[in-house]
Amino acid sequence: PLVETGAFLQIVRDACLDRGDSKEALGKLAKIRGWAAAPSEELTRNGTAYSTMVGGWTFALGQNAFAVMQSEFRAPYDGYVCSVTTKLSNSNVHAQMKIEFSKKFGAAITGEIESPRKQTDRYWINRDRKPPIKASLVFDRTSNTITVRMILGRYYPVES
């Protein structure tokens, strides 16, 4: 489980934390690593009223399959959403993933949402000279998948 956890979180760092706020940088990483790009029709179909899907890739690493998705906010908002999803070998890996996520990104859980199907843990990840990242670790019990979603805005959050 630790290798799976470590490999997954390294992909999250490489794709989303380091390059998630740049279409060009994430696209270049995907090309260098040989990830399979999603067709443009698929990206268009998955847009929302608030964001446009700008990149999507799938790839395998060992026995694990991964999906990386990147969306850009529509005006007047500014920023990106980047996510990485994989299927866990067993549901026990989720608990280890939470521990390793906090260690790797230096972030404590700031909120938890529990439902019969999903558990979502929320985090704020601080970055040097950039606004913090709002991150979610979403575990889907029915599919045994885990998704890390990072919102990479260009503005600092406002306290209310």
Side-chain angles (χ1 to χ4, degrees):
L2 286 178
V3 172
E4 180 179 296
T5 301
F8 177 72
L9 293 177
Q10 189 59 50
I11 292 164
V12 169
R13 175 179 288 287
D14 292 347
C16 293
L17 187 76
D18 294 346
R19 295 168 182 87
D21 58 358
S22 167
K23 287 186 288 195
E24 295 76 20
L26 187 51
K28 184 176 180 181
L29 177 71
K31 187 174 183 175
I32 289 169
R33 294 199 177 165
W35 299 350
S40 58
E41 314 83 63
E42 182 84 15
L43 299 178
T44 302
R45 187 174 39 235
N46 286 299
T48 70
Y50 300 102
S51 65
T52 303
M53 187 77 64
V54 294
W57 304 269
T58 57
F59 60 96
L61 189 61
Q63 298 295 317
N64 297 314
F66 298 89
V68 176
M69 305 302 288
Q70 184 183 41
S71 299
E72 185 173 16
F73 288 117
R74 295 181 192 270
Y77 306 103
D78 196 15
Y80 289 87
V81 178
C82 181
S83 65
V84 180
T85 301
T86 195
K87 187 173 179 86
L88 299 178
S89 57
N90 65 69
S91 60
N92 298 330
V93 177
H94 172 238
Q96 186 64 36
M97 186 73 73
K98 289 170 62 169
I99 293 166
E100 295 300 318
F101 186 94
S102 290
K103 284 182 189 173
K104 185 162 192 84
F105 300 112
I109 295 173
T110 59
E112 296 176 287
I113 301 168
E114 187 79 37
S115 74
R117 197 176 133 224
K118 288 184 181 181
Q119 178 176 341
T120 302
D121 301 302
R122 303 238 164 120
Y123 304 82
W124 283 100
I125 300 171
N126 290 317
R127 303 186 289 172
D128 289 341
R129 297 179 299 279
K130 287 186 175 182
I133 295 170
K134 185 175 186 179
S136 299
L137 183 68
V138 182
F139 175 60
D140 187 321
R141 292 179 183 87
T142 58
S143 62
N144 212 35
T145 57
I146 192 122
T147 299
V148 171
R149 184 175 304 115
M150 294 186 172
I151 299 174
L152 302 108
R154 296 205 177 94
Y155 302 104
Y156 285 85
V158 178
E159 294 281 332
S160 56

